[in-house]
Amino acid sequence: MKQDLPERSAPARSANSRPGTGEKYERLLAGAAELMARRGFSETTMRDVARQTGFSLAGMYYYFHSKEDLLYQIQQRTFSTLLEQQQQAATGPGTARERLGRLIRSHLAFYVRHAHELKVCTYELESLTGEKYHAVERIRRDYFALAAQIVGQVMEEHGGRPASEKAVRHATLFLFGMLNWVFMWYRPRRDGSVDELADEMTAFALTGLVGSAP
Amino acid sequence: MKQDLPERSAPARSANSRPGTGEKYERLLAGAAELMARRGFSETTMRDVARQTGFSLAGMYYYFHSKEDLLYQIQQRTFSTLLEQQQQAATGPGTARERLGRLIRSHLAFYVRHAHELKVCTYELESLTGEKYHAVERIRRDYFALAAQIVGQVMEEHGGRPASEKAVRHATLFLFGMLNWVFMWYRPRRDGSVDELADEMTAFALTGLVGSAP
DNA sequence: TACCCTGTCGAACGTTCGTTCGAAACCAAC
DNA sequence: GTTGGTTTCGAACGAACGTTCGACAGGGTA
């Protein structure tokens, strides 16, 4: 009785199972995220995850349906939480510049607390297929729209009139480029706290190299 | 004049083989780079590369020793060419701001001409091991130093005194974040020419959101 | 013709992968 | 102690992977 649903993650075993919560389930996701962040999705084997989390190879499959499902759970949970947090940080009071500063700071703070998971979200979207891919991409698009809105407001606040859609889009992509590249180099001991880093990045985004004082 | 690197990729066949040049060899590297850029290194199988380039599976191994060697050849060749080009573009005459503009424009122009190869260079360093990893990392470090030097000059030119090493380092990493993220979204039809994009990015890097006019 | 070097390839080898299956262990409720 | 659902796992399966091997065609040279 295999599933014949086109996409879906499918029921698999009867109708019970897979609480979606629980201490062991969390440990599984966290362990998998750590390995996938370090080595990449396809370089991470289920045997690695089993060793890391203390489960047996077969035992893990009680909690999810497939390796891709495991990746999906990590991305969906992490990105949803981040988006929710950012919607609060970005829609609060203050000028557009202040909201942009909060967005950057809050993103980096989230990164510090969930580095592995966020790295997986950022770099492993393309390891998902079908509906899982589109579901995560939808969240990502929402997050981009949220940031683009603020960037547009900053540009309008300063320029006196709305900036072109393309200019806003590109500036937002520059911002995400900076944010997403942080995974590749940030080490607290060498680079200072994320609060400091957030200030530097905000200054760079607002006034660039020749506008920021050291 | 071939390498006798420590790490060695093993002699494999006698002492001949692997010209390192030749039309077929180029076709092999280009085809492999295209697949690896699109799907990633470990998702790209040797059978895929064979199909893409018209070789047989075994036939390809006349030209290199292993899959990792193939990846290394792509990265080493591409990055060396880029670095050489950028050393010229960045050490020419003009103010530091002008040199930064040339660096950005030249990097993006190279991206347009060698998109697949550069994407592989940017995202598949960690698929290399041992001496191959370190060899490519050395080129990457040189490229970073080149950019950091110009960024530092821009900051000094404006601030009147040298900026802190950390500030220069972080600003350079912000710049590379923007540049390297371009792979993820740039489409000429929608986003305009790379010359336009280079101008936008240079303006953003120099004066930020509130300094650039739309 | 005989020889050898350069390219090429079908077929296979050994390994590792994600996943499955049946059985066993656990445990609260009777 | 028996039951029945929940959770765990050793062992195996089939597929796919990178790589190798022996063979062989082509063509330049003696």
Side-chain angles (χ1 to χ4, degrees):
Chain A
M1 71 140 278
K2 233 28 196 125
Q3 71 285 11
D4 36 20
L5 304 171
E7 298 295 342
R8 298 290 315 160
S9 29
R13 69 201 74 248
S14 61
N16 58 1
S17 89
R18 228 194 2 167
T21 54
E23 187 197 334
K24 294 190 176 182
Y25 185 67
E26 303 296 332
R27 183 158 51 94
L28 219 33
L29 258 56
E34 181 173 344
L35 292 175
M36 290 176 183
R38 184 143 42 226
R39 305 205 273 255
F41 175 70
S42 58
E43 288 80 5
T44 301
T45 72
M46 298 302 274
R47 286 164 178 83
D48 290 335
V49 178
R51 200 174 312 117
Q52 168 95 5
T53 57
F55 281 82
S56 71
L57 179 59
M60 296 187 300
Y61 280 84
Y62 179 77
Y63 291 97
F64 43 79
H65 302 297
S66 66
K67 190 187 177 188
E68 185 183 355
D69 188 43
L70 176 57
L71 176 63
Y72 173 70
Q73 295 295 330
I74 294 171
Q75 297 205 26
Q76 207 277 334
R77 284 164 153 255
T78 305
F79 242 140
S80 298
T81 307
L82 172 62
L83 180 59
E84 208 169 328
Q85 168 185 309
Q86 291 294 65
Q87 272 161 346
Q88 293 189 340
T91 55
T95 65
R97 297 186 200 192
E98 287 166 351
R99 287 198 296 279
L100 181 69
R102 283 206 301 272
L103 187 85
I104 292 173
R105 180 186 307 268
S106 180
H107 182 102
L108 291 175
F110 188 89
Y111 161 66
V112 163
R113 277 181 292 130
H114 307 286
H116 301 138
E117 286 82 356
L118 192 54
K119 185 169 185 181
V120 169
C121 286
T122 303
Y123 289 106
E124 298 294 353
L125 169 62
E126 311 229 320
S127 297
L128 295 174
T129 63
E131 177 54 28
K132 293 191 179 69
Y133 175 92
H134 288 106
V136 172
E137 203 206 17
R138 239 172 280 133
I139 306 179
R140 209 190 259 236
R141 211 189 297 273
D142 286 348
Y143 191 21
F144 181 84
L146 178 68
Q149 182 188 336
I150 298 181
V151 168
Q153 288 167 354
V154 171
M155 293 173 83
E156 181 172 356
E157 192 177 87
H158 174 263
R161 58 191 172 84
S164 79
E165 193 182 336
K166 197 173 87 172
V168 173
R169 173 182 147 76
H170 286 182
T172 308
L173 287 162
F174 296 160
L175 176 63
F176 273 110
M178 295 191 288
L179 283 170
N180 292 335
W181 197 244
V182 167
F183 297 107
M184 297 295 194
W185 55 269
Y186 178 69
R187 276 168 29 200
R189 285 311 242 288
R190 180 186 53 190
D191 298 306
S193 73
V194 284
D195 268 7
E196 293 169 4
L197 183 63
D199 288 341
E200 293 180 67
M201 194 181 290
T202 303
F204 185 90
L206 286 177
T207 61
L209 286 177
V210 307
S212 65
Chain B
M1 60 153 286
K2 236 359 192 164
Q3 72 292 1
D4 39 16
L5 307 170
E7 277 299 313
R8 294 293 314 171
S9 29
R13 67 204 77 246
S14 62
N16 57 1
S17 91
R18 230 186 1 156
T21 53
E23 188 196 334
K24 293 190 175 182
Y25 185 66
E26 302 296 333
R27 183 158 50 94
L28 219 32
L29 258 56
E34 180 172 344
L35 292 176
M36 289 176 184
R38 185 144 41 228
R39 304 205 275 254
F41 175 70
S42 58
E43 287 80 5
T44 301
T45 73
M46 297 303 275
R47 286 163 178 83
D48 290 336
V49 177
R51 200 175 310 117
Q52 169 95 4
T53 56
F55 282 82
S56 71
L57 179 57
M60 297 186 299
Y61 279 84
Y62 178 75
Y63 291 97
F64 42 78
H65 301 296
S66 66
K67 189 186 178 190
E68 185 184 355
D69 188 42
L70 176 57
L71 176 64
Y72 172 69
Q73 294 296 331
I74 294 170
Q75 297 205 26
Q76 206 277 334
R77 284 164 153 254
T78 306
F79 241 139
S80 298
T81 307
L82 172 62
L83 179 57
E84 209 169 328
Q85 168 184 308
Q86 291 293 68
Q87 271 162 348
Q88 293 190 342
T91 55
T95 65
R97 297 188 201 190
E98 287 166 351
R99 288 198 296 280
L100 181 69
R102 283 205 302 273
L103 187 85
I104 291 173
R105 180 185 307 268
S106 180
H107 181 102
L108 291 175
F110 188 89
Y111 162 66
V112 163
R113 277 180 293 131
H114 308 284
H116 301 139
E117 286 83 356
L118 192 53
K119 185 169 184 181
V120 169
C121 285
T122 303
Y123 289 107
E124 298 292 353
L125 169 62
E126 311 229 321
S127 296
L128 296 174
T129 63
E131 177 54 27
K132 294 193 178 70
Y133 175 92
H134 288 107
V136 172
E137 203 205 16
R138 237 172 281 132
I139 306 179
R140 207 190 261 234
R141 212 190 296 272
D142 287 347
Y143 191 21
F144 181 85
L146 179 69
Q149 181 187 335
I150 298 179
V151 168
Q153 287 168 353
V154 172
M155 292 172 83
E156 182 173 355
E157 192 177 270
H158 174 263
R161 58 191 172 85
S164 78
E165 193 183 335
K166 198 174 88 173
V168 173
R169 173 181 147 78
H170 286 183
T172 308
L173 286 161
F174 295 160
L175 177 63
F176 273 111
M178 295 192 288
L179 284 171
N180 292 335
W181 196 244
V182 167
F183 297 106
M184 297 295 194
W185 56 268
Y186 178 70
R187 275 167 32 198
R189 285 311 243 288
R190 180 188 53 190
D191 298 306
S193 73
V194 283
D195 269 6
E196 292 170 3
L197 183 63
D199 288 341
E200 293 181 69
M201 194 181 291
T202 303
F204 185 91
L206 286 177
T207 61
L209 287 177
V210 307
S212 65

